[in-house]
């Protein structure tokens, strides 16, 4: 633990091994607004806690990743913890960045991630800055939400998203856009193909060819092994059990057809796909496939960006904000 006093501000830094970086800062009375720039080189993953008295900022970092996050804390804007029940009776936990706008953008995280992922945080804060309310939440089985984590779960996550949208509709709010990263990108496109009540969708680095990437995660002969045993246990680099892939969840992943889903998206639903040109997880060709399939589609490739947009967050946020402001107010 390190404590340092600077004028009227006290910083205390605590480093412990983890995948979650938590930072909290309280400015002096004269500092009514500040911009906090965190350059996080997370080679071994640590918790960074700046203990003061204002609201916390949580940044979910992938091990071995390096991310620069620009976070504007906007005075007078409240974060509300909201719990929503899905169709299975499970509680979904989320945070509403409430600017007072009637319209809300819902942000959906990716595989093995949470609402605290730095990209979700940064998008929410930047939307705040432009007067747009944002809601980021944990899918069932992830983060603070109830439920069991599953490898597939695409349709269930679509149902979770529908429960969120129905909640805000009942509260006389309007979900005017949905955005998802990686697996969350698949979820928002699938939602648009099944339900036709959202007319602005942002797919950030979603996967088109669902059979790709499975062998890299599950190992060779995964189909034979899962058919024989009924499941595959995935272990961490330390050899500890990370999660179990059941035959049902694996087959759901393999049978999810994003081509068919794209064709079923309404013409009056505008979809933006953003992808990094050097994405190491999902090939950039998948973005082009979405562009060829979805009727009303805009494609933006960010040169040099990886899957997490580690060094290209500003470009990502700029593209997303421009698209949302141009499209989310359409009837």
């Amino acid at each position: 633990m390190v404590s340092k006093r600077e004028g009227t501000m006290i910083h205390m830094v605590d480093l412990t091994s983890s995948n979650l970086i938590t930072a909290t800062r309280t400015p002096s009375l004269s500092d009514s607004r500040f911009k906090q720039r965190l350059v996080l080189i997370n080679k071994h993953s640590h918790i960074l806690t700046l203990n003061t008295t204002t609201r916390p900022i949580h940044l979910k970092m992938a091990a071995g990743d390096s991310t620069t996050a620009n976070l504007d804390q906007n005075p007078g804007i409240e974060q509300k913890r909201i719990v929503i029940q899905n169709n299975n009776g499970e509680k979904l936990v989320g945070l509403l960045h409430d600017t007072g706008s009637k319209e809300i953008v819902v942000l959906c995280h990716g595989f093995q991630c949470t609402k605290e992922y730095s990209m979700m945080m940064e998008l929410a804060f930047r939307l705040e800055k432009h007067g747009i309310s944002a809601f980021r939440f944990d899918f069932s089985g992830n983060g603070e939400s109830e439920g069991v984590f599953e490898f597939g779960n695409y349709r269930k996550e679509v149902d979770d998203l529908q429960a969120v949208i129905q909640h805000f509709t009942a509260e006389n709010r309007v979900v005017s856009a949905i955005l998802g990263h990686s697996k969350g990108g698949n979820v928002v496109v699938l939602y648009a193909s099944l339900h036709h009540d959202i007319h602005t969708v942002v797919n950030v680095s979603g996967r088109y060819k669902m059979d790709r990437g499975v062998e890299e995660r599950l190992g060779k002969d995964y189909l034979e092994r899962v058919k024989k045993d009924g499941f595959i246990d995935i272990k961490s680099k330390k050899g500890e059990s990370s999660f179990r892939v059941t035959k049902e969840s694996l087959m759901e992943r393999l049978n999810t057809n994003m081509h068919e889903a794209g064709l079923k998206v309404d013409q009056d639903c505008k979809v933006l796909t953003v992808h990094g040109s050097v994405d190491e997880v999902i090939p950039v060709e998948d973005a082009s496939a979405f562009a060829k399939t979805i009727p009303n589609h805009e494609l933006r490739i960010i040169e040099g960006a990886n899957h997490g947009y580690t060094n290209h967050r500003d470009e990502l946020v700029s593209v997303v904000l421009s698209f949302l402001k141009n499209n989310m107010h359409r009837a």
Side-chain angles (χ1 to χ4, degrees):
M1 174 74 71
V2 179
S3 177
K4 182 179 180 182
R5 181 183 294 272
E6 296 179 359
T8 58
M9 189 180 296
I10 297 175
H11 297 281
M12 286 175 285
V13 179
D14 182 19
L15 294 177
T16 56
S17 181
S18 176
N19 282 329
L20 181 66
I21 294 184
T22 307
T24 311
R25 177 181 175 188
T26 299
S28 63
L29 292 176
S30 61
D31 186 11
S32 61
R33 188 176 183 192
F34 67 91
K35 186 169 186 177
Q36 181 169 258
R37 182 174 178 86
L38 300 174
V39 181
L40 306 167
I41 301 177
N42 193 34
K43 189 173 183 180
H44 298 292
S45 297
H46 291 86
I47 284 183
L48 169 62
T49 305
L50 303 180
N51 291 322
T52 51
T53 59
T54 194
R55 59 182 172 145
I57 299 172
H58 302 286
L59 298 179
K60 176 81 177 195
M61 303 293 295
D65 194 13
S66 170
T67 297
T68 299
N70 295 310
L71 302 181
D72 284 316
Q73 281 195 314
N74 303 298
I77 295 177
E78 183 181 1
Q79 287 185 31
K80 300 176 181 177
R81 187 176 187 271
I82 295 176
V83 178
I84 299 167
Q85 192 172 79
N86 66 12
N87 291 333
N88 294 295
E90 297 160 341
K91 294 177 180 177
L92 308 175
V93 180
L95 285 173
L96 175 64
H97 297 244
D98 199 349
T99 66
S101 67
K102 185 172 183 178
E103 294 185 308
I104 296 172
V105 176
V106 175
L107 307 177
C108 303
H109 65 77
F111 181 73
Q112 279 193 301
C113 203
T114 74
K115 64 182 179 302
E116 311 298 348
Y117 177 44
S118 60
M119 183 187 294
M120 300 295 102
M121 285 289 302
E122 191 158 359
L123 285 166
F125 275 100
R126 293 288 288 274
L127 286 165
E128 273 188 13
K129 186 178 179 181
H130 289 266
I132 303 169
S133 297
F135 182 70
R136 52 189 174 92
F137 73 103
D138 296 324
F139 284 114
S140 53
N142 294 267
E144 294 184 87
S145 292
E146 295 178 345
V148 178
F149 176 83
E150 294 283 355
F151 177 70
N153 249 19
Y154 291 88
R155 290 304 175 96
K156 188 179 180 188
E157 292 189 358
V158 169
D159 289 343
D160 287 347
L161 178 55
Q162 184 182 32
V164 167
I165 292 170
Q166 289 175 340
H167 168 83
F168 286 113
T169 300
E171 295 289 321
N172 200 31
R173 304 292 287 267
V174 176
V175 175
S176 54
I178 52 178
L179 176 151
H181 172 244
S182 194
K183 185 184 179 185
N186 289 95
V187 171
V188 297
V189 172
L190 287 167
Y191 182 93
S193 74
L194 295 168
H195 309 283
H196 306 286
D197 53 346
I198 304 297
H199 302 292
T200 305
V201 175
V202 181
N203 163 31
V204 181
S205 305
R207 187 180 293 279
Y208 189 85
K209 294 194 69 175
M210 301 302 285
D211 58 336
R212 285 201 293 212
V214 178
E215 184 174 300
E216 291 84 344
R217 194 179 293 275
L218 304 186
K220 293 182 178 180
D221 304 320
Y222 63 87
L223 274 177
E224 289 79 4
R225 287 186 288 124
V226 80
K227 287 177 180 178
K228 176 184 175 183
D229 300 326
F231 63 87
I232 298 174
D233 283 333
I234 304 302
K235 295 185 178 181
S236 66
K237 292 180 180 179
K238 295 181 180 179
E240 300 170 349
S241 180
S242 179
F243 61 92
R244 173 167 289 188
V245 178
T246 64
K247 180 181 177 181
E248 292 76 17
S249 66
L250 173 59
M251 296 314 296
E252 187 207 1
R253 158 73 180 260
L254 296 176
N255 291 327
T256 297
N257 191 321
M258 296 309 299
H259 177 77
E260 288 184 0
L263 293 174
K264 292 178 181 177
V265 176
D266 281 349
Q267 175 68 40
D268 62 353
C269 177
K270 186 65 179 284
V271 179
L272 167 69
T273 292
V274 189
H275 216 102
S277 67
V278 294
D279 191 318
E280 74 285 11
V281 177
I282 299 174
V284 67
E285 295 81 35
D286 282 29
S288 298
F290 278 115
K292 293 175 182 177
T293 305
I294 297 173
N296 189 359
H297 187 276
E298 180 178 332
L299 175 64
R300 295 293 298 273
I301 304 299
I302 297 182
E303 289 299 322
N306 63 8
H307 190 63
Y309 299 81
T310 304
N311 299 313
H312 296 80
R313 286 286 173 82
D314 284 342
E315 294 98 317
L316 171 65
V317 172
S318 177
V319 167
V320 168
L321 280 174
S322 176
F323 176 80
L324 290 177
K325 287 191 286 186
N326 287 335
N327 291 281
M328 62 184 284
H329 300 295
R330 295 180 302 121

